Amino acid sequence: MRLAQRLAVAALACLAGAAHAQSAAPIKVGIALDISGPFASLGADARDGFDLAIEKLGGTLGGQPAEFLKTDFAGSPEQATQLVNRYLQRDKIQFFTGPIASNSALAVAPLLFKAKVPFLSNNPGPSQFAGKQCNAYFFGQYQNDTYDEAAGKLANEKGYKHMVILAPNYPAGKDHLNGFKRLYKGDLKDEIYTKVGQIDYAAEIAQIRAAKPDAVFFFLPGGMGINFIKQYVAGGLKGIPLIAPGFSADQDVINAVGEDMIGLQNTAHWTHDLDLPANKAFVADFRKKYERYPTVYAAMAYDTIMAMDAAVKDAGGASDPDKLVQALAKPSFTSLRGDFTYGPNQYPIQDYYLRVVAKDADGKVTNKLVERILTRHQDAYVADCKR
């Protein structure tokens, strides 16, 4: 065959390949959004993190066309279950992510596991999926207890001998308090559980005042944390230090409370001032697009989409769920948190940091990285994972 003929055949093959790529069915991703209901402010940050990653990838995953189905389920586990059934039966999704709360994740996960659809958590890390109910199709960003194990270690180092702890009465709340108690060596003056979505904390603040603790540890994300901190300060308790997992002292809470947050100590696996090239670029892009600092919810949502993108590349597509799971278990993307690996239960082994609320160089109130509290830390439930 002459050179001209060979070039013509090659050109036709390229055109045929391009036409096939354009006509191929898009990879479908189901995203359950919490942009109304009790976790609305957190869900809005997660949505913005998702959108920034999708925009960066040009709406593709692994270079292939993708369709991102985003639906608000208002933080209701019942609505989340209905939504996932629709995603699976009608839309035939190949990835799922989205809920903020652990109770919603626990509600929808069995449907996804049965359908062999990878569930990449963009936030909840329930203890159930870290231990006896671990599953090859679930991938965590952190395990609920770990933020609080870091906080318990911090409380010991600060010399807080007597503490009050409180959280909402739902699965994540119980995990978070259990995590704190696991490493804290002092005396608990009181352990308080509140209602999910509660806005009036007068009774709890009276209990804290009566207990006279050295410090208070609380897990109250979103609007719950905003109301609690405002009422705590107004109640004259600012002299009693507050420690929290990062979810209760992130930028969404800081923006709403303001300077009364200054000095609040919190622990997290990520912070916007981690000195990593990928993280710096993400924070700069996020601030340019949304005119605010990102929260840990936004960072985790961004990482979730990037993990999907890398898995599709590494698996050679999204048609084989077993290959996707194998690729996800050995992540090749550059995470905003830096290097991490998965344990046998597919929860990360990673570092946890102390952040303190302060003013930045421009006078804006935000979190500042202080130090690493735990290094390459694994959750406490991994030994129970027997899959």
Side-chain angles (χ1 to χ4, degrees), residues 267-289:
T267 51
H269 78 285
W270 172 88
T271 182
H272 66 73
D273 51 352
L274 275 177
D275 190 13
L276 301 168
N279 189 52
K280 287 182 173 180
F282 162 72
V283 173
D285 290 344
F286 191 95
R287 294 191 72 185
K288 181 179 180 180
K289 185 175 180 65

Side-chain angles (χ1 to χ4, degrees), residues 98-179:
I100 293 295
S102 290
N103 55 352
S104 295
L106 289 166
V108 303
L111 300 170
L112 295 158
F113 299 161
K114 184 178 180 180
K116 291 190 172 183
V117 172
F119 180 176
L120 282 73
S121 175
N122 69 296
N123 180 57
S127 57
Q128 291 88 337
F129 295 155
K132 293 179 180 178
Q133 297 178 44
C134 65
N135 192 283
Y137 286 85
F138 184 84
F139 294 85
Q141 294 265 0
Y142 65 94
Q143 194 278 313
N144 285 345
D145 301 36
T146 52
Y147 269 52
D148 318 283
E149 289 164 357
K153 184 173 184 289
L154 172 66
N156 296 333
E157 293 172 356
K158 293 292 182 180
Y160 299 143
K161 303 294 186 184
H162 308 283
M163 294 190 66
V164 170
I165 61 176
L166 76 160
N169 190 11
Y170 77 120
K174 294 175 182 178
D175 280 352
H176 281 281
L177 293 196
N178 285 337

Side-chain angles (χ1 to χ4, degrees), residues 24-351:
I27 298 166
K28 291 190 177 183
V29 180
I31 303 178
L33 291 176
D34 289 79
I35 51 176
S36 63
F39 303 102
S41 63
L42 320 180
D45 258 53
R47 175 201 60 202
D48 291 346
F50 287 134
D51 287 349
L52 188 63
I54 292 166
E55 180 182 295
K56 185 176 181 65
L57 295 173
T60 67
L61 288 175
Q64 299 184 29
E67 185 177 352
F68 299 90
L69 308 169
K70 293 177 284 187
T71 310
D72 180 27
F73 72 101
S76 164
E78 293 78 16
Q79 289 189 44
T81 301
Q82 294 170 14
L83 174 61
V84 168
N85 269 317
R86 187 164 72 248
Y87 279 159
L88 292 171
Q89 295 171 17
R90 185 190 70 186
D91 300 309
K92 310 298 182 186
I93 59 169
Q94 289 143 297
F95 289 104
F96 176 80
T97 187
I100 293 295
S102 290
N103 55 352
S104 295
L106 289 166
V108 303
L111 300 170
L112 295 158
F113 299 161
K114 184 178 180 180
K116 291 190 172 183
V117 172
F119 180 176
L120 282 73
S121 175
N122 69 296
N123 180 57
S127 57
Q128 291 88 337
F129 295 155
K132 293 179 180 178
Q133 297 178 44
C134 65
N135 192 283
Y137 286 85
F138 184 84
F139 294 85
Q141 294 265 0
Y142 65 94
Q143 194 278 313
N144 285 345
D145 301 36
T146 52
Y147 269 52
D148 318 283
E149 289 164 357
K153 184 173 184 289
L154 172 66
N156 296 333
E157 293 172 356
K158 293 292 182 180
Y160 299 143
K161 303 294 186 184
H162 308 283
M163 294 190 66
V164 170
I165 61 176
L166 76 160
N169 190 11
Y170 77 120
K174 294 175 182 178
D175 280 352
H176 281 281
L177 293 196
N178 285 337
F180 183 83
K181 290 186 290 183
R182 187 171 292 114
L183 293 192
Y184 178 58
K185 297 177 180 179
D187 170 52
L188 289 180
K189 303 286 284 185
D190 208 344
E191 181 173 344
I192 304 169
Y193 286 96
T194 65
K195 294 180 180 179
V196 175
Q198 184 170 323
I199 59 172
D200 184 354
Y201 294 92
E204 290 79 9
I205 287 169
Q207 285 180 256
I208 293 169
R209 186 181 291 108
K212 298 179 181 178
D214 297 334
V216 172
F217 172 78
F218 72 102
F219 166 67
L220 292 166
M224 293 180 283
I226 291 167
N227 283 285
F228 173 75
I229 296 167
K230 286 181 175 180
Q231 292 167 35
Y232 187 89
V233 172
L237 298 184
K238 194 171 183 180
I240 301 175
L242 289 173
I243 298 180
F247 313 109
S248 302
D250 219 330
Q251 201 63 44
D252 59 316
V253 180
I254 292 170
N255 289 344
V257 176
E259 294 193 8
D260 282 336
M261 290 281 290
I262 290 175
L264 197 155
Q265 304 167 92
N266 63 99
T267 51
H269 78 285
W270 172 88
T271 182
H272 66 73
D273 51 352
L274 275 177
D275 190 13
L276 301 168
N279 189 52
K280 287 182 173 180
F282 162 72
V283 173
D285 290 344
F286 191 95
R287 294 191 72 185
K288 181 179 180 180
K289 185 175 180 65
Y290 301 113
E291 299 183 343
R292 68 182 190 276
Y293 278 114
T295 63
V296 70
Y297 300 100
M300 290 190 294
Y302 186 93
D303 261 4
T304 296
I305 300 298
M306 292 304 174
M308 293 178 188
D309 177 64
V312 172
K313 289 177 185 173
D314 295 343
S319 60
D320 187 332
D322 292 328
K323 286 184 178 180
L324 277 182
V325 163
Q326 291 169 14
L328 288 164
K330 297 180 179 179
S332 61
F333 74 103
T334 302
S335 173
L336 303 179
R337 82 198 76 183
D339 293 337
F340 76 96
T341 56
Y342 282 122
N345 57 1
Q346 294 176 173
Y347 276 81
I349 301 170
Q350 60 193 356
D351 297 343

